[in-house]
Amino acid sequence: MDAALQARVTTLLHDAGIEVGGPCGHDIQVHDRRFFARVIAGGSLALGESYMDGWWDARQLDGLLLRLMQARLDQRVQGWRDLADAVRARVLNAQAGQGSYEVGRRHYDLGNDLYQAMLGRRLVYSCGYWPKARDLDAAQEAKLDLVCRKLGLRPGQRVLDIGCGWGEALKFASERYGVSGVGVTISEEQATHARELCAGLPVEIRLQDYRQLDERFDAVFSIGMFEHVGVRNYRHFFDVARRCLAPDGLLLLHTIGGNVSRYRTDPWIARYIFPNSMLPSAAQITRAFEGRFVLEDWHGFGTDYDLTLQAWRSNIESAWASLDPRRYDERFKRMWRFYLAASMASFRCRHAQLWQLVLSPDGVPGGYTAAR
């Protein structure tokens, strides 16, 4: 049986252009022969867990995962947990109630030291904008400025940031464009840092679920938060944004997206990185804002996320020695490497996209001219 399972896995990998023990950087080096049975039984979850456990390696992990995704092996090997997660996603609203705070506790509250080491000068945990940028910091500044220009921000306006992270976008908008604002996050670590970062500026940071918002703003933006909303709550998200937005205001939504409508994320990502997350499809987004907003602009630059992730990987690999090994042990490091490499591969093979949408309540009179 073990020989048969090994042969099956070897054949599947060969179909993806990957050789067991091969000489190429994207080839897999198996250290524990239990790997073959484990990955057949557990699918993508077992693939990630066995890497975390040190059962296999690849010199170019992102290259290996890219080939697996391009060959769509996840559709040919599914574990029982995949099926259980699929049923759960169809039945439950995992992003409601206390479930909406879980990703804050388990991911964004891991430690500001980790994110400060990885994200660069600005704590911006979303895709940079690279057309004219030569490094990560410039790409993130360009992205923040792009958001402000698309919204047409002006001095004296009041803006809302749904999912404000560590406060960098509101700080940038306040300092560069003269606005005041409110930011909401479900992460205690983010809220504490954001309040310190924005001290002295007309910016309020709240530890608050976005569904509790009910006040008026001249503009609303949400950068890298929609991936945690969940398809059952998309309509509610746009309802909240609509009731908070002035009649002549604009909403900017910055989100990762998928090519196919789904109801859950990859089982390994859900268990170890982003619990209760899912990537929206274009169809799911448009259905949710239909009758609520007019689409003014849809801008895709997902290939920029590969560059952003490569910069994050370079930063964190250079910083591991300076981080507390009791908090970030070898298994954590391998988990984080797998996460970043899988994300690179997903954008590189165009299974994942990055979209910025600009929406208005009733259409911009005379039309909207999109900044680039």
Side-chain angles (χ1 to χ4, degrees):
M1 178 63 72
D2 289 345
L5 291 175
Q6 180 173 338
R8 182 182 175 193
V9 172
T10 300
T11 299
L12 287 168
L13 292 172
H14 179 78
D15 291 346
I18 298 166
E19 300 300 328
V20 177
C24 298
H26 61 260
D27 286 332
I28 189 169
Q29 312 302 320
V30 176
H31 309 308
D32 191 315
R33 307 203 72 79
R34 292 176 295 172
F35 161 79
F36 300 102
R38 184 176 183 180
V39 77
I40 287 294
S44 63
L45 178 62
L47 181 72
E49 288 180 334
S50 61
Y51 179 81
M52 291 165 61
D53 291 340
W55 287 18
W56 63 273
D57 277 297
R59 294 199 313 276
Q60 297 172 1
L61 181 59
D62 52 324
L64 180 147
L65 295 175
L66 172 63
R67 284 162 175 79
L68 293 180
M69 291 180 189
Q70 289 174 326
R72 301 186 183 276
L73 292 193
D74 59 316
Q75 298 176 13
R76 298 170 64 182
V77 180
Q78 292 186 338
W80 65 268
R81 287 175 177 170
D82 293 332
L83 301 176
D85 287 347
V87 172
R88 176 176 175 271
R90 285 284 188 172
V91 174
L92 302 177
N93 185 353
Q95 298 84 10
Q98 288 301 308
S100 64
Y101 286 85
E102 187 176 0
V103 70
R105 292 189 297 267
R106 289 178 50 190
H107 188 79
Y108 296 107
D109 288 344
L110 279 172
N112 285 344
D113 56 342
L114 175 72
Y115 294 110
Q116 286 168 332
M118 183 174 81
L119 299 181
R121 185 168 65 87
R122 295 181 185 274
L123 283 180
V124 179
Y125 197 15
S126 53
C127 182
Y129 191 53
W130 290 83
K132 297 180 181 179
R134 294 186 177 182
D135 58 43
L136 176 64
D137 293 334
Q140 293 296 13
E141 182 167 324
K143 188 266 300 297
L144 296 178
D145 192 61
L146 180 67
V147 168
C148 294
R149 289 188 291 119
K150 285 182 176 181
L151 290 171
L153 296 186
R154 303 183 303 277
Q157 288 186 318
R158 185 169 183 253
V159 303
L160 170 64
D161 183 351
I162 302 177
C164 66
W166 290 275
E168 295 282 359
L170 278 173
K171 180 177 185 289
F172 183 92
S174 181
E175 291 179 338
R176 298 287 184 92
Y177 287 84
V179 302
S180 62
V182 171
V184 297
T185 176
I186 56 171
S187 164
E188 293 184 5
E189 291 285 332
Q190 287 184 339
T192 298
H193 180 90
R195 288 171 185 143
E196 295 173 355
L197 182 74
C198 297
L201 296 173
V203 170
E204 179 188 358
I205 304 296
R206 303 174 185 169
L207 186 65
Q208 182 181 26
D209 190 297
Y210 72 94
R211 283 166 280 216
Q212 300 169 353
L213 291 163
D214 189 8
E215 53 197 282
R216 186 55 56 88
F217 296 89
D218 298 298
V220 177
F221 59 85
S222 182
I223 304 173
M225 174 270 186
F226 198 69
E227 300 88 336
H228 305 303
V229 170
V231 66
R232 292 175 180 270
N233 306 298
Y234 290 164
R235 287 184 179 275
H236 197 170
F237 175 92
F238 287 112
D239 283 340
V240 170
R242 178 67 191 259
R243 77 182 181 219
C244 289
L245 185 61
D248 60 348
L250 294 173
L251 163 66
L252 184 141
L253 177 66
H254 172 118
T255 183
I256 302 172
N259 299 328
V260 178
S261 296
R262 303 187 190 280
Y263 296 87
R264 63 189 180 98
T265 191
D266 173 82
W268 185 87
I269 291 290
R271 175 161 297 196
Y272 292 100
I273 307 297
F274 296 119
N276 301 332
S277 65
M278 60 164 286
L279 301 185
S281 69
Q284 288 170 327
I285 294 174
T286 55
R287 279 198 299 268
F289 71 69
E290 183 175 341
R292 293 161 173 80
F293 285 98
V294 174
L295 176 63
E296 302 288 355
D297 185 51
W298 193 307
H299 182 192
F301 51 98
T303 52
D304 284 17
Y305 224 140
D306 189 10
L307 297 172
T308 303
L309 287 155
Q310 289 181 50
W312 289 349
R313 177 175 64 181
S314 178
N315 285 346
I316 196 63
E317 289 297 340
S318 298
W320 285 128
S322 65
L323 296 173
D324 186 351
R326 294 168 297 180
R327 296 182 64 189
Y328 311 116
D329 59 15
E330 187 60 28
R331 194 167 192 267
F332 182 94
K333 292 177 189 177
R334 293 181 68 88
M335 177 190 78
W336 209 251
R337 288 175 183 135
F338 193 88
Y339 155 51
L340 293 177
S343 299
M344 289 177 211
S346 185
F347 284 100
R348 201 172 298 164
C349 71
R350 304 306 307 280
H351 288 182
Q353 314 299 328
L354 190 286
W355 297 321
Q356 281 191 355
L357 284 68
V358 177
L359 307 170
S360 67
D362 296 300
V364 175
Y368 173 82
T369 301
R372 291 291 187 270

